[in-house]
């Protein structure tokens, strides 16, 4: 059974940084596309970043490119999202996601993935 457990969310000021972690069990990161999604109040869940399990390709949504970095540690079965230069628009619940099938290489990952964690709240204050 695949389980994804996020941690590292919290309250940070504008311009600050946070690092989110996602501990995965029940799968090997070598086989899975791993991604981060976020859902702001009143909005749908949207893809933020994805790292491919097949070729380690990395993809970002334009609004976070240059500020966020996704990385994985296969030995720890953990995926990270380093978030720098945070703005109020980054306030959201952040979800870790995994896909072992159509989005294992991050193809159209924003349309949805097989598995999600329960989320961690990130609040950026002005």
């Amino acid at each position: 059974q695949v389980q994804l457990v996020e941690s590292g969310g919290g309250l940070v000021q504008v311009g600050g940084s946070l690092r989110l972690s996602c501990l995965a069990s029940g799968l090997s990161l070598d086989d899975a596309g791993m991604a981060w999604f976020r859902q702001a109040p009143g909005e749908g869940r949207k893809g933020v970043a994805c790292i491919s399990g097949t070729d380690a390709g990395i993809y970002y949504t334009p609004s976070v490119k240059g500020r966020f970095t996704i990385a994985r540690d296969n030995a720890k079965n953990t995926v990270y999202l380093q978030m720098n230069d945070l703005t109020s628009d980054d306030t959201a619940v952040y979800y870790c996601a995994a896909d072992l099938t159509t989005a294992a290489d991050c193809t159209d990952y924003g349309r949805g993935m097989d598995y999600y964690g329960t989320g961690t709240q990130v609040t950026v204050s002005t």
Side-chain angles (χ1 to χ4, degrees):
Q1 182 179 357
V2 175
Q3 287 190 321
L4 305 171
V5 179
E6 303 97 337
S7 61
L11 176 64
V12 64
Q13 291 187 331
V14 170
S17 298
L18 280 176
R19 188 177 80 156
L20 305 182
S21 299
C22 171
L23 177 61
S25 60
L27 58 79
S28 169
L29 297 191
D30 284 337
D31 299 326
M34 300 297 299
W36 289 93
F37 285 68
R38 67 185 180 187
Q39 186 168 17
E43 298 184 10
R45 190 158 54 188
K46 299 176 183 178
V48 174
C50 187
I51 183 165
S52 168
T54 56
D55 62 2
I58 293 177
Y59 308 87
Y60 297 100
T61 194
S63 63
V64 308
K65 203 167 185 179
R67 300 188 298 122
F68 290 13
T69 302
I70 188 171
R72 68 185 190 201
D73 185 332
N74 289 358
K76 296 182 179 180
N77 240 37
T78 300
V79 178
Y80 304 97
L81 186 68
Q82 177 67 44
M83 305 186 295
N84 299 328
D85 194 21
L86 286 160
T87 74
S88 57
D89 289 341
D90 296 316
T91 294
V93 178
Y94 283 72
Y95 298 90
C96 179
D99 200 288
L100 295 168
T101 55
T102 55
D105 61 357
C106 294
T107 298
D108 292 330
Y109 78 96
R111 293 187 178 183
M113 300 183 84
D114 293 335
Y115 305 98
Y116 292 87
T118 57
T120 185
Q121 176 70 47
V122 171
T123 303
V124 184
S125 66
T126 56

